[in-house]
Amino acid sequence: MDLLSITDPSFVKKMNVHEMEQLSAEIRKFLIEKLSVTGGHIGPNLGVVELTVALHHCFTSPKDKFLWDVGHQSYVHKILTGRADKFDTLRQYKGLCGFPKMIESEHDVWETGHSSTSLSAAMGMAIARDLKKEDSHIVPVIGDGALTGGMALEALNHIGHEKTNMIVILNDNEMSIAPNVGALHNMLGRMRTGGKYNKLKDELEFLLKRIPAVGGKVASTAERMKDSLKYMFVPGMFFEEFGFTYLGPIDGHSFDDLIKSLEQAKRTEGPVLVHVITKKGKGYKPAESDTVGSWHGIGPYKMETGDIIKSKNEPPAWSALVSETVREIARTDDRIVAITPAMPVGSKLLGFAEEFPDRMFDVGIAEQHAATVAAGLATQGMKPFLAIYSTFLQRAYDQVVHDICRPNLNVFIGIDRSGLVGADGETHQGVFDIAFLRHLPNMVLMMPKDENEGRHMVNTAIHYNDGPIAMRFPRGNGLGVEMDAEMTTIPIGSWEVLREGTDAAILTFGTTIPMALEAASALAKRGIEVKVVNARFIKPLDEEMLDELLDRNIPVLTIEEAVLEGGFGSAVLEYAHESGHHGAVIERMGIPDQFIEHGSVDKLLEEIHLTAEEAIRKITLLVPEKQKKRV
């Protein structure tokens, strides 16, 4: 059928199994073709084609509500709800979002991007449904990786306790982004191979009730016997103890099995968990054979071969530079231990894990746990390196405050994907970490101007012994600068002058330094000489240099690829006030008070006026007498 002509999913309800199989093949072909151009989360979506079609066959959206945990596996849902014609714009500026988006469609009832939230949100929706006396199904779809998140387990506990009518789909593909880890993952592995536990339970009950004469007496103890049977067979026991009826495991690529189980779940009172086994990347060999998570989310690729399309001679990726520098230092310092919350691939820690398997811990999707594990290591004189994306560090905020900063523990936090990340959009932009870390006592926060300084900063962090220290670094690749042969340490709280000037000063760091230098060069041609400072330590500030600038009474412009509220510019304003420089002229540029959606970083910076042109405009206004002389 013509996928571009789909306007709503109701047509799927009228399809037979053969027709749904044909539809699934067309959807897979469509996804493989479209994502070869735009990139995106191809692996997760190829794995849930039949599951998504079956859900729309058995339920009525949006009356029945689907909640996609994490949400990167919602592409098939988007196609079936009338958005196939927008896939050429997937994850692009003003285009189709790569995650569920309520303003896109009434069929997107819950917005996600971070994992393990679906069950809690579903519980809220189910409570609202019951209080309003409505009749609908609430159907969260959660992966086996997301199920390791503590929030998901908290929700399971609450849902089971309340005996809430809800159908939870456990999409079990043995991976989240990277291969899953932990005892819960191992338990699910046993369940996958343990057969259809529910069928065994039902068959025993049937046989017991057919025994003549003693049937009534035996029937009265049937429930106790079934409970005993549960302990004889591992599958389902974990969820049944939570209060769920467990169905499965079932083949997530068989419409017969899916429809039978979903219809049974609809007839069952109380919470039901349908355990569906799927294959990530199903139907596309390069993605299907991926064992490390490389095809979870990917850029453009050659559809025929699966070869990734990359620019030639790219500088090293920031994630690799940081992790490999830690690895290099770890060869001579056996106190160093690396920790990641389910991101060993993204954080480029596979090399570290291979060389130091006893000193690398992937704790699963458990950011809070990761932070406090790091704190525990630090209490014992170890040097923990917590590699974590800025957006996911938000989830560990209390642990950073209570378990790391408060006792002043020597933890090195590598904050990956700091700043705008582009295509993943508002749920993943790393723009809040300065604001939520800068005010914490004992915290040192820094960001390098290039990869060479980045290596020196990693070395500085490893050799720092006075408490927690965090280094921000962006998504993508370095600048390709020449690297020093030897690593040194950088004095804590020291800034660096990159360009001298007497008329104004720009204070900035990291990714916005090229922007500042470009603006200063353009302003020099207008007769305005601007001092550019690499304010590489966001906390503590270089108070000596800042005093020197403020004493000269020249205008100061701060630039940061982070939120303005509570950010670096705010820190400079606070210092000017506290140090008695009440007449200081300080302007700020940064992320405004809004969530930034998806698109290329350059487009997004232009939209929020975080550009060299805006810096030129602001400084020109701050130095009016120079402008008049030029005219």
Side-chain angles (χ1 to χ4, degrees), residues 392-405:
F392 300 141
L393 184 59
Q394 295 165 190
R395 301 168 69 110
Y397 178 72
D398 179 61
Q399 286 66 35
V400 173
V401 176
H402 184 272
D403 299 336
I404 296 176
C405 288

Side-chain angles (χ1 to χ4, degrees), residues 129-404:
R129 173 201 62 196
D130 296 344
L131 290 174
K132 293 159 69 176
K133 310 297 183 187
E134 294 176 349
D135 180 22
S136 65
H137 295 287
I138 310 296
V139 189
V141 182
I142 185 168
D144 49 320
L147 197 64
T148 65
M151 186 175 174
L153 298 176
E154 292 168 15
L156 282 177
N157 185 53
H158 185 205
I159 294 164
H161 174 73
E162 297 290 345
K163 298 180 173 56
T164 305
N165 285 336
M166 182 187 301
I167 300 171
V168 176
I169 308 297
L170 172 56
N171 173 34
D172 183 357
N173 60 23
E174 303 185 58
M175 297 181 77
S176 48
I177 293 176
N180 289 324
V181 297
L184 185 57
H185 164 67
N186 294 334
M187 180 201 72
L188 291 174
R190 292 193 297 272
M191 293 168 68
R192 292 183 205 107
T193 59
K196 292 189 177 180
Y197 149 72
N198 205 66
K199 182 180 179 182
L200 291 169
K201 186 176 67 173
D202 291 344
E203 287 176 351
L204 177 69
E205 183 176 14
F206 175 76
L207 290 170
L208 288 171
K209 288 183 177 179
R210 289 181 61 85
I211 297 174
V214 296
K217 293 180 180 179
V218 175
S220 67
T221 62
E223 286 304 313
R224 290 198 299 275
M225 293 185 70
K226 281 193 294 178
D227 286 342
S228 298
L229 180 68
K230 292 175 187 177
Y231 289 98
M232 292 172 61
F233 296 93
V234 172
M237 190 60 240
F238 176 82
F239 299 107
E240 297 240 349
E241 285 298 312
F242 267 108
F244 283 72
T245 298
Y246 172 86
L247 303 179
I250 62 170
D251 181 353
H253 303 294
S254 165
F255 281 110
D256 288 332
D257 288 356
L258 284 166
I259 292 168
K260 179 181 177 182
S261 296
L262 292 174
E263 291 298 336
Q264 182 179 352
K266 287 165 66 176
R267 296 190 298 268
T268 304
E269 283 294 312
V272 181
L273 186 136
V274 183
H275 186 178
V276 179
I277 309 299
T278 61
K279 178 67 176 176
K280 201 168 185 177
K282 176 77 171 176
Y284 186 51
K285 189 174 180 180
E288 199 169 331
S289 59
D290 175 29
T291 59
V292 298
S294 301
W295 279 85
H296 170 79
I298 201 164
Y301 54 90
K302 293 180 180 179
M303 187 172 60
E304 299 78 11
T305 62
D307 293 337
I308 310 303
I309 299 172
K310 290 185 176 181
S311 301
K312 294 181 179 179
N313 301 318
E314 286 185 331
W318 270 104
S319 301
L321 175 103
V322 172
S323 294
E324 286 302 303
T325 304
V326 172
R327 180 184 180 186
E328 180 180 339
I329 301 171
R331 293 185 181 122
T332 56
D333 188 343
D334 59 10
R335 298 173 303 160
I336 295 173
V337 177
I339 305 162
T340 176
M343 299 302 293
V345 177
S347 292
K348 300 294 189 290
L349 282 166
L350 295 181
F352 188 102
E354 183 178 355
E355 186 168 351
F356 304 109
D358 295 336
R359 291 196 273 154
M360 161 67 188
F361 295 90
D362 177 0
V363 302
I365 303 177
E367 294 86 358
Q368 295 172 306
H369 174 62
T372 301
V373 166
L377 281 162
T379 66
Q380 301 306 302
M382 304 300 282
K383 283 280 187 177
F385 167 56
L386 174 58
I388 188 167
Y389 289 12
S390 172
T391 184
F392 300 141
L393 184 59
Q394 295 165 190
R395 301 168 69 110
Y397 178 72
D398 179 61
Q399 286 66 35
V400 173
V401 176
H402 184 272
D403 299 336
I404 296 176

Side-chain angles (χ1 to χ4, degrees), residues 452-473:
N452 185 50
E453 186 171 68
R455 276 174 55 82
H456 296 311
M457 277 195 179
V458 170
N459 191 53
T460 301
I462 296 294
H463 288 92
Y464 181 70
N465 296 309
D466 295 330
I469 186 165
M471 174 180 147
R472 309 177 78 238
F473 52 97

Side-chain angles (χ1 to χ4, degrees), residues 605-622:
L605 291 173
E606 184 179 337
E607 182 182 72
I608 60 177
H609 306 294
L610 193 52
T611 61
E613 290 73 22
E614 180 66 9
I616 292 167
R617 188 189 71 81
K618 283 185 175 291
I619 288 180
T620 301
L621 293 174
L622 292 173

